[in-house]
Amino acid sequence: MSKPRFITFEGIDGSGKSTQARRFADHLRGQGGDVVLTREPGGSPGAEEIRQLLLTGDTDRWSAETEILLFTAARRDHLEKTIQPALALDKTVVSDRFADSTRIYQGATRGDLREMVDKLHSLMIGREPDLTFIIDMDPATALERGLARKSGEDRFEDFGLAFQETLRHGFLALAHANTDRCVLIDGNRTADQIASEIAAYA
Ligand code: TMP
């Protein structure tokens, strides 16, 4: 099998996936790889503007349906401006979140909207990662860690612990349904232990 070139990290808020995405990108660079580390929502100037709309304000600022449209709009711009150009230049792309986040955060928390997410994804995105690491973690610990950051981008953390537990189950089910590209990682360990397990996929 050829080396994976589009790699994503997924998980609940505070699961440590941003740290692991950065460490994996650094590891690949250490091996001589040409790597673009990016994130969602965001990763291009337009998508970063949409990020502000999505992650700030009250929990009821947007319905799940409106979120699907905004996250997909941001993703389309990210794909056009950052991901596709990098892959076309034979670079490796490591993204902190991608479409799986919409499948779970919007598709499986406030009603079953998965079909709507999937339809819009095939219409507007139509691309899956080659490899996805899903960092699984205890939701209470993760939420505490996420809120302690005081990032000012806590709209989804503000939905509370039950929401994070629903997300965790959604990500576990997604990992089991997509074993061709998803690797489930136990996030209840030190960052070093997790990073060394992930580094083996480089
Ligand atoms: P993060 O940068 O801390 O991961 O924050 C992004 C937040 O946005 C996080 O709470 C998950 C949420 N999100 C969605 O709800 N749907 C999506 O499609 C994406 C990419 C993120």
Side-chain angles (χ1 to χ4, degrees), residues 11 13-14 17-18 39-41 51 55 67 71 75 96-103 105-106 110 149 153 155-157 164:
D13 298 285
K17 69 182 167 39
S18 304
R39 69 167 180 182
E40 289 209 354
R51 178 182 176 98
L55 303 191
E67 286 172 15
F71 278 110
R75 182 162 306 125
D96 177 356
R97 296 194 187 280
F98 189 65
D100 292 327
S101 284
T102 315
R103 293 183 174 116
Y105 278 79
Q106 282 66 49
R110 286 153 288 170
R149 274 186 214 134
E153 292 184 330
R155 194 170 150 258
F156 288 94
E157 277 103 330
Q164 296 294 328

Side-chain angles (χ1 to χ4, degrees), residues 8-72:
T8 58
F9 283 74
E10 298 279 2
I12 61 175
D13 298 285
S15 60
K17 69 182 167 39
S18 304
T19 301
Q20 295 301 329
R22 193 182 63 245
R23 288 184 67 153
F24 190 58
D26 288 344
H27 180 73
L28 293 172
R29 286 179 187 130
Q31 293 185 327
D34 195 351
V35 181
V36 172
L37 175 63
T38 185
R39 69 167 180 182
E40 289 209 354
S44 62
E48 289 288 335
E49 288 193 39
I50 298 174
R51 178 182 176 98
Q52 283 311 305
L53 297 175
L54 280 160
L55 303 191
T56 61
D58 294 338
T59 51
D60 64 358
R61 182 177 187 185
W62 312 107
S63 67
E65 288 84 348
T66 309
E67 286 172 15
I68 292 170
L69 294 167
L70 288 169
F71 278 110
T72 307

